[in-house]
Amino acid sequence: MSSKHKAFRFDDGRLIALGREARLELTPYTNGVIRLSYHRLGQSSTRRSWVIGEYPETDDMIAAYEAEQGVEMLTRSLIVAVERDTLKVQVGDPERNLVIDDGPDGGWVDLGSEGVALRRRILPGERYYGLGEKTGGLNKLGRRWRMHNHDAFVREHGGYPPGADPLYCNIPFYIVLRAGSAHGIYVDSAYPLNLDLGAEQPGRSLIHSEGGELDTFILPGPSIAEVLERFTSLTGRMPLPARWALGYHQSRWGYANAEALEGIADELRQRQLHGAALWLDIQHQQGFRSFTWDEETFPEPKALIERLRKQGFELVLIQDAGIKAEEQWDVYESGVWADAFLRKQDGELYRERGWAEESVYPDFSHPSARQWWSEQVEAMARQGVGGVWIDLNEPTVLPASGGPASPPDALPVHGDGEPTRMHELHNVYALLQAEASYAGMLAAQPQCRPFVLTRAGFAGVQRFAALWTGDVSSTWAGLRETLPMLLGLGLSGVAFVGSDVGGFSGSPSPELYARWMALGCVSPFFRCHYTKDAPAQEPWAFGEEIEAICRRLINTRLELMPYLYSAFEESARTGRPVLRPMIFEFQGDDRFLDVDDQAMLGAHLLVAPVLDPGISAREVVLPPGLWTYLPTGTRYQGPDRIFVDAELDTLPLFVRGGTVLPRCTVDAVLESRYPLCSRLDVYPGDVETVSHLYEDRGNSSPELEHCEHAQLRFITSSDQDTLRLCVWLETQGSAPHFSFDLYIHQLQELPEIVAVNGVELEVRLEPEESGEHWAWLEEQRALRLRLERSRSFIVELVFAMS
């Protein structure tokens, strides 16, 4: 292509196309991502990104040349064709299969004062996944979606109603799947967006930004995993959380004093309901002032925190962005001095009602405001609290009418040196608050991994905080919408997610509570939380049967902690979700395109929680391969559709054939907060399978977390007469000496030889606790090996030829 052609030119690795009304800049990056930035003519292309700190290098272009209708750019992953004058775009893969098509009536549209839009075709067979925290099913096709963080609480529903949109965390990223191939679209704009995915006109999509530009990214696959890896490499990945944060958490709005809180701790321990953390909502504060303690009801917070920690509980405190406008109060005065708060056009502080009555609100787009907030969090965390919980950060204010509202769009904000309005800051307000909160926790406890929970968020929030799904109502509809919402968040880059077990408000029936506890047990974040006006909803409040069910579910969570922690490590490293939809793991199986009532926990456990009342058995769609139903030990061959027992005390849970499932005992967790894996359960399969186990100190700071760790990779394979398990052990720092029991299940006969690294092991009639040996467990049809190892090894079971 000639560089003198006025319609197209190169500039610093970009292809710039000039249309009649707009300019399109195409930037190919080394990781296969292509950026398409649309700007009105005369508009500067320099702009901040609230999300992307550093862009990849730009050397992925193979060639660019002028074509009959415009220009084509070839990269290693995609081919992009841009039509002259209209700037309509077609994108294909290297085999020129169509990926994106603006179509004859599509492309960029200037809507004047209402912003700009991008119209595209919806190609036949496409599914759309992601968009952050959304109600409805997993597939987002056929609806309009609003990208504008919103406190969706409706009093008569006790939360947000079914189908409500928008909610608290909106992420303008979605994955498109068609004919087994996936790609992603990310719109890097904080302005409110409206997405129409075939609602107004089937076969047509619309991305409408209320700002004056559209900065979009195309992320190629072809697998959903590759799309997510590229998206999270661009927007950031979840840091590995402290292991205690993966345990069971108990909370409510209404633990009125220290005595009541310690009473909950005592009950949990006495009833052997092994919680990891307790939470305090705004009731612990003095007059609902953030960063305070009520001296009458919580007179000695440091001593309280220490007593709880001795019992094995971390304490997490809520802090709202609204700061009481009160003269002579040091938190308020220091914020005014730091110029940390939002101001109106005339320079006066913006004041609106919050929990602490007349309040001011930080301008988190100002570095001094983020620093000020970090300092407040740091001072709080130095008391020894385990984490900070940030709420009402959509942002939400509480006007005199009592309904949720937000600061006006017209409010001026600092914009990190590029002044703008609240209209642009609104969606990233919680993201910037989470960043400041994370920094404050790390400054106070530099040897520990920060824990932050946020209600609202945006793309990239996973770098700083876990997220829960807000004020879900205590109804079956609320439970039914929760699983696909968690899955959608996982497909939006946010892996550490959960819901209020039992629902936030209302009074769940014992059945609903038990079913929600089962979903919580397999959710990445596991917390029971409910409102102050509802009856008690701790596990023992529903009677002995439900308490026993809750105990079993919490214990299941603890026993699976090595597996779960390893799934979190994989997510921190790759961006893959911890709780993932079936289509993520089995992309080529069209039966799972819209399945959102069962999921994969990591790569090897299939969970099928009951989400409707009155159910004693449920259908499960099994993928190909061998699957063991853990409640009964029954083995199934997929692909198949089966019905399994799902009584109230049963969590339908399957393990994939070939899996090595790491576990630990409940007692080990109670003796040590971060115990090493003590048991490996092997479920033979019909294909070679890779599993892994990650172990470390459990709560060292991000800077230190790689100093000492161990990574075990397991490969299982079998042929007619030999079952082989290869274990590779990689360590950094001091190498641990593993001592564990290896159980190989579902063996049809006793092996003739059991060998480790080619050396036969001694057989013993009864399992013992010391020395390497093996024993046959007749009733379980399983073989138990006692192994003590600090290096890689191979286990072989040789059977008689049949």
PDB file of all heavy atoms in Angstrom, residues 62-83:
ATOM      1  N   ILE A  62       1.931  -8.581   9.680  1.00  0.00           N
ATOM      2  CA  ILE A  62       2.680  -9.276   8.631  1.00  0.00           C
ATOM      3  C   ILE A  62       2.733  -8.415   7.382  1.00  0.00           C
ATOM      4  O   ILE A  62       3.791  -8.241   6.772  1.00  0.00           O
ATOM      5  CB  ILE A  62       2.032 -10.637   8.325  1.00  0.00           C
ATOM      6  CG1 ILE A  62       2.124 -11.548   9.550  1.00  0.00           C
ATOM      7  CG2 ILE A  62       2.694 -11.289   7.117  1.00  0.00           C
ATOM      8  CD1 ILE A  62       1.408 -12.869   9.375  1.00  0.00           C
ATOM      9  N   ALA A  63       1.579  -7.856   7.015  1.00  0.00           N
ATOM     10  CA  ALA A  63       1.521  -7.037   5.792  1.00  0.00           C
ATOM     11  C   ALA A  63       0.274  -6.180   5.818  1.00  0.00           C
ATOM     12  O   ALA A  63      -0.687  -6.461   6.540  1.00  0.00           O
ATOM     13  CB  ALA A  63       1.526  -7.924   4.546  1.00  0.00           C
ATOM     14  N   ALA A  64       0.297  -5.101   5.043  1.00  0.00           N
ATOM     15  CA  ALA A  64      -0.886  -4.270   4.814  1.00  0.00           C
ATOM     16  C   ALA A  64      -0.829  -3.782   3.373  1.00  0.00           C
ATOM     17  O   ALA A  64       0.237  -3.426   2.869  1.00  0.00           O
ATOM     18  CB  ALA A  64      -0.915  -3.088   5.776  1.00  0.00           C
ATOM     19  N   TYR A  65      -1.949  -3.814   2.684  1.00  0.00           N
ATOM     20  CA  TYR A  65      -1.944  -3.418   1.278  1.00  0.00           C
ATOM     21  C   TYR A  65      -3.309  -2.868   0.900  1.00  0.00           C
ATOM     22  O   TYR A  65      -4.335  -3.177   1.507  1.00  0.00           O
ATOM     23  CB  TYR A  65      -1.590  -4.609   0.383  1.00  0.00           C
ATOM     24  CG  TYR A  65      -2.431  -5.829   0.609  1.00  0.00           C
ATOM     25  CD1 TYR A  65      -3.657  -5.998  -0.064  1.00  0.00           C
ATOM     26  CD2 TYR A  65      -2.029  -6.837   1.490  1.00  0.00           C
ATOM     27  CE1 TYR A  65      -4.444  -7.113   0.150  1.00  0.00           C
ATOM     28  CE2 TYR A  65      -2.804  -7.962   1.705  1.00  0.00           C
ATOM     29  CZ  TYR A  65      -4.001  -8.087   1.032  1.00  0.00           C
ATOM     30  OH  TYR A  65      -4.782  -9.191   1.244  1.00  0.00           O
ATOM     31  N   GLU A  66      -3.293  -2.039  -0.116  1.00  0.00           N
ATOM     32  CA  GLU A  66      -4.528  -1.438  -0.607  1.00  0.00           C
ATOM     33  C   GLU A  66      -5.285  -2.458  -1.447  1.00  0.00           C
ATOM     34  O   GLU A  66      -4.705  -3.139  -2.294  1.00  0.00           O
ATOM     35  CB  GLU A  66      -4.216  -0.197  -1.432  1.00  0.00           C
ATOM     36  CG  GLU A  66      -5.438   0.634  -1.754  1.00  0.00           C
ATOM     37  CD  GLU A  66      -5.079   1.973  -2.372  1.00  0.00           C
ATOM     38  OE1 GLU A  66      -3.880   2.270  -2.458  1.00  0.00           O
ATOM     39  OE2 GLU A  66      -6.004   2.702  -2.757  1.00  0.00           O
ATOM     40  N   ALA A  67      -6.565  -2.598  -1.154  1.00  0.00           N
ATOM     41  CA  ALA A  67      -7.431  -3.504  -1.889  1.00  0.00           C
ATOM     42  C   ALA A  67      -8.439  -2.687  -2.687  1.00  0.00           C
ATOM     43  O   ALA A  67      -8.460  -1.455  -2.637  1.00  0.00           O
ATOM     44  CB  ALA A  67      -8.139  -4.456  -0.929  1.00  0.00           C
ATOM     45  N   GLU A  68      -9.303  -3.395  -3.395  1.00  0.00           N
ATOM     46  CA  GLU A  68     -10.258  -2.710  -4.269  1.00  0.00           C
ATOM     47  C   GLU A  68     -11.178  -1.777  -3.497  1.00  0.00           C
ATOM     48  O   GLU A  68     -11.450  -0.651  -3.922  1.00  0.00           O
ATOM     49  CB  GLU A  68     -11.082  -3.739  -5.039  1.00  0.00           C
ATOM     50  CG  GLU A  68     -12.085  -3.118  -6.002  1.00  0.00           C
ATOM     51  CD  GLU A  68     -12.845  -4.175  -6.776  1.00  0.00           C
ATOM     52  OE1 GLU A  68     -12.481  -5.361  -6.686  1.00  0.00           O
ATOM     53  OE2 GLU A  68     -13.819  -3.801  -7.470  1.00  0.00           O
ATOM     54  N   GLN A  69     -11.659  -2.232  -2.326  1.00  0.00           N
ATOM     55  CA  GLN A  69     -12.619  -1.439  -1.561  1.00  0.00           C
ATOM     56  C   GLN A  69     -11.965  -0.597  -0.470  1.00  0.00           C
ATOM     57  O   GLN A  69     -12.639   0.236   0.122  1.00  0.00           O
ATOM     58  CB  GLN A  69     -13.646  -2.375  -0.914  1.00  0.00           C
ATOM     59  CG  GLN A  69     -14.446  -3.196  -1.903  1.00  0.00           C
ATOM     60  CD  GLN A  69     -15.268  -2.319  -2.830  1.00  0.00           C
ATOM     61  OE1 GLN A  69     -15.816  -1.302  -2.423  1.00  0.00           O
ATOM     62  NE2 GLN A  69     -15.335  -2.708  -4.105  1.00  0.00           N
ATOM     63  N   GLY A  70     -10.688  -0.827  -0.187  1.00  0.00           N
ATOM     64  CA  GLY A  70     -10.068  -0.080   0.889  1.00  0.00           C
ATOM     65  C   GLY A  70      -8.689  -0.603   1.202  1.00  0.00           C
ATOM     66  O   GLY A  70      -7.801  -0.574   0.351  1.00  0.00           O
ATOM     67  N   VAL A  71      -8.510  -1.130   2.403  1.00  0.00           N
ATOM     68  CA  VAL A  71      -7.206  -1.600   2.825  1.00  0.00           C
ATOM     69  C   VAL A  71      -7.371  -2.889   3.630  1.00  0.00           C
ATOM     70  O   VAL A  71      -8.399  -3.089   4.290  1.00  0.00           O
ATOM     71  CB  VAL A  71      -6.477  -0.531   3.677  1.00  0.00           C
ATOM     72  CG1 VAL A  71      -7.194  -0.301   4.998  1.00  0.00           C
ATOM     73  CG2 VAL A  71      -5.019  -0.922   3.933  1.00  0.00           C
ATOM     74  N   GLU A  72      -6.386  -3.776   3.534  1.00  0.00           N
ATOM     75  CA  GLU A  72      -6.362  -4.993   4.338  1.00  0.00           C
ATOM     76  C   GLU A  72      -5.080  -5.028   5.162  1.00  0.00           C
ATOM     77  O   GLU A  72      -4.012  -4.653   4.667  1.00  0.00           O
ATOM     78  CB  GLU A  72      -6.435  -6.252   3.459  1.00  0.00           C
ATOM     79  CG  GLU A  72      -7.819  -6.573   2.974  1.00  0.00           C
ATOM     80  CD  GLU A  72      -7.928  -7.994   2.439  1.00  0.00           C
ATOM     81  OE1 GLU A  72      -6.890  -8.705   2.426  1.00  0.00           O
ATOM     82  OE2 GLU A  72      -9.037  -8.401   2.051  1.00  0.00           O
ATOM     83  N   MET A  73      -5.225  -5.468   6.420  1.00  0.00           N
ATOM     84  CA  MET A  73      -4.073  -5.639   7.290  1.00  0.00           C
ATOM     85  C   MET A  73      -4.050  -7.092   7.752  1.00  0.00           C
ATOM     86  O   MET A  73      -5.047  -7.607   8.259  1.00  0.00           O
ATOM     87  CB  MET A  73      -4.164  -4.704   8.494  1.00  0.00           C
ATOM     88  CG  MET A  73      -2.956  -4.794   9.432  1.00  0.00           C
ATOM     89  SD  MET A  73      -3.044  -3.590  10.786  1.00  0.00           S
ATOM     90  CE  MET A  73      -4.351  -4.334  11.764  1.00  0.00           C
ATOM     91  N   LEU A  74      -2.898  -7.748   7.586  1.00  0.00           N
ATOM     92  CA  LEU A  74      -2.730  -9.140   7.964  1.00  0.00           C
ATOM     93  C   LEU A  74      -1.833  -9.220   9.191  1.00  0.00           C
ATOM     94  O   LEU A  74      -0.747  -8.622   9.221  1.00  0.00           O
ATOM     95  CB  LEU A  74      -2.093  -9.949   6.831  1.00  0.00           C
ATOM     96  CG  LEU A  74      -3.000 -10.412   5.679  1.00  0.00           C
ATOM     97  CD1 LEU A  74      -3.477  -9.226   4.850  1.00  0.00           C
ATOM     98  CD2 LEU A  74      -2.261 -11.415   4.802  1.00  0.00           C
ATOM     99  N   THR A  75      -2.309  -9.949  10.211  1.00  0.00           N
ATOM    100  CA  THR A  75      -1.481 -10.253  11.369  1.00  0.00           C
ATOM    101  C   THR A  75      -1.376 -11.769  11.494  1.00  0.00           C
ATOM    102  O   THR A  75      -1.968 -12.509  10.702  1.00  0.00           O
ATOM    103  CB  THR A  75      -2.069  -9.659  12.657  1.00  0.00           C
ATOM    104  OG1 THR A  75      -3.213 -10.423  13.057  1.00  0.00           O
ATOM    105  CG2 THR A  75      -2.471  -8.197  12.472  1.00  0.00           C
ATOM    106  N   ARG A  76      -0.659 -12.234  12.487  1.00  0.00           N
ATOM    107  CA  ARG A  76      -0.508 -13.676  12.675  1.00  0.00           C
ATOM    108  C   ARG A  76      -1.814 -14.346  13.085  1.00  0.00           C
ATOM    109  O   ARG A  76      -1.967 -15.557  12.927  1.00  0.00           O
ATOM    110  CB  ARG A  76       0.577 -13.947  13.711  1.00  0.00           C
ATOM    111  CG  ARG A  76       1.967 -13.544  13.264  1.00  0.00           C
ATOM    112  CD  ARG A  76       2.993 -13.657  14.387  1.00  0.00           C
ATOM    113  NE  ARG A  76       4.316 -13.282  13.937  1.00  0.00           N
ATOM    114  CZ  ARG A  76       4.752 -12.025  13.870  1.00  0.00           C
ATOM    115  NH1 ARG A  76       3.956 -11.035  14.224  1.00  0.00           N
ATOM    116  NH2 ARG A  76       5.972 -11.758  13.441  1.00  0.00           N
ATOM    117  N   SER A  77      -2.756 -13.549  13.630  1.00  0.00           N
ATOM    118  CA  SER A  77      -3.992 -14.138  14.156  1.00  0.00           C
ATOM    119  C   SER A  77      -5.228 -13.762  13.368  1.00  0.00           C
ATOM    120  O   SER A  77      -6.190 -14.527  13.341  1.00  0.00           O
ATOM    121  CB  SER A  77      -4.191 -13.704  15.617  1.00  0.00           C
ATOM    122  OG  SER A  77      -3.086 -14.073  16.415  1.00  0.00           O
ATOM    123  N   LEU A  78      -5.232 -12.582  12.744  1.00  0.00           N
ATOM    124  CA  LEU A  78      -6.449 -12.068  12.122  1.00  0.00           C
ATOM    125  C   LEU A  78      -6.125 -11.319  10.837  1.00  0.00           C
ATOM    126  O   LEU A  78      -4.993 -10.856  10.627  1.00  0.00           O
ATOM    127  CB  LEU A  78      -7.182 -11.122  13.083  1.00  0.00           C
ATOM    128  CG  LEU A  78      -7.719 -11.723  14.393  1.00  0.00           C
ATOM    129  CD1 LEU A  78      -8.180 -10.621  15.324  1.00  0.00           C
ATOM    130  CD2 LEU A  78      -8.836 -12.713  14.126  1.00  0.00           C
ATOM    131  N   ILE A  79      -7.147 -11.190  10.004  1.00  0.00           N
ATOM    132  CA  ILE A  79      -7.090 -10.346   8.810  1.00  0.00           C
ATOM    133  C   ILE A  79      -8.192  -9.302   8.936  1.00  0.00           C
ATOM    134  O   ILE A  79      -9.359  -9.657   9.141  1.00  0.00           O
ATOM    135  CB  ILE A  79      -7.299 -11.178   7.532  1.00  0.00           C
ATOM    136  CG1 ILE A  79      -6.254 -12.292   7.436  1.00  0.00           C
ATOM    137  CG2 ILE A  79      -7.260 -10.281   6.301  1.00  0.00           C
ATOM    138  CD1 ILE A  79      -6.533 -13.282   6.330  1.00  0.00           C
ATOM    139  N   VAL A  80      -7.826  -8.035   8.842  1.00  0.00           N
ATOM    140  CA  VAL A  80      -8.797  -6.950   9.002  1.00  0.00           C
ATOM    141  C   VAL A  80      -8.891  -6.173   7.696  1.00  0.00           C
ATOM    142  O   VAL A  80      -7.872  -5.701   7.171  1.00  0.00           O
ATOM    143  CB  VAL A  80      -8.399  -5.999  10.143  1.00  0.00           C
ATOM    144  CG1 VAL A  80      -9.473  -4.932  10.340  1.00  0.00           C
ATOM    145  CG2 VAL A  80      -8.169  -6.766  11.439  1.00  0.00           C
ATOM    146  N   ALA A  81     -10.107  -6.050   7.175  1.00  0.00           N
ATOM    147  CA  ALA A  81     -10.364  -5.264   5.969  1.00  0.00           C
ATOM    148  C   ALA A  81     -11.192  -4.045   6.353  1.00  0.00           C
ATOM    149  O   ALA A  81     -12.201  -4.172   7.051  1.00  0.00           O
ATOM    150  CB  ALA A  81     -11.100  -6.106   4.929  1.00  0.00           C
ATOM    151  N   VAL A  82     -10.767  -2.856   5.900  1.00  0.00           N
ATOM    152  CA  VAL A  82     -11.454  -1.601   6.207  1.00  0.00           C
ATOM    153  C   VAL A  82     -11.909  -0.970   4.901  1.00  0.00           C
ATOM    154  O   VAL A  82     -11.100  -0.750   3.985  1.00  0.00           O
ATOM    155  CB  VAL A  82     -10.542  -0.625   6.974  1.00  0.00           C
ATOM    156  CG1 VAL A  82     -11.308   0.652   7.323  1.00  0.00           C
ATOM    157  CG2 VAL A  82      -9.997  -1.279   8.239  1.00  0.00           C
ATOM    158  N   GLU A  83     -13.188  -0.670   4.805  1.00  0.00           N
ATOM    159  CA  GLU A  83     -13.756  -0.071   3.604  1.00  0.00           C
ATOM    160  C   GLU A  83     -13.458   1.418   3.570  1.00  0.00           C
ATOM    161  O   GLU A  83     -13.599   2.123   4.580  1.00  0.00           O
ATOM    162  CB  GLU A  83     -15.255  -0.317   3.580  1.00  0.00           C
ATOM    163  CG  GLU A  83     -15.950   0.118   2.297  1.00  0.00           C
ATOM    164  CD  GLU A  83     -17.422  -0.246   2.305  1.00  0.00           C
ATOM    165  OE1 GLU A  83     -17.725  -1.454   2.171  1.00  0.00           O
ATOM    166  OE2 GLU A  83     -18.254   0.676   2.476  1.00  0.00           O
TER     167      GLU A  83
END
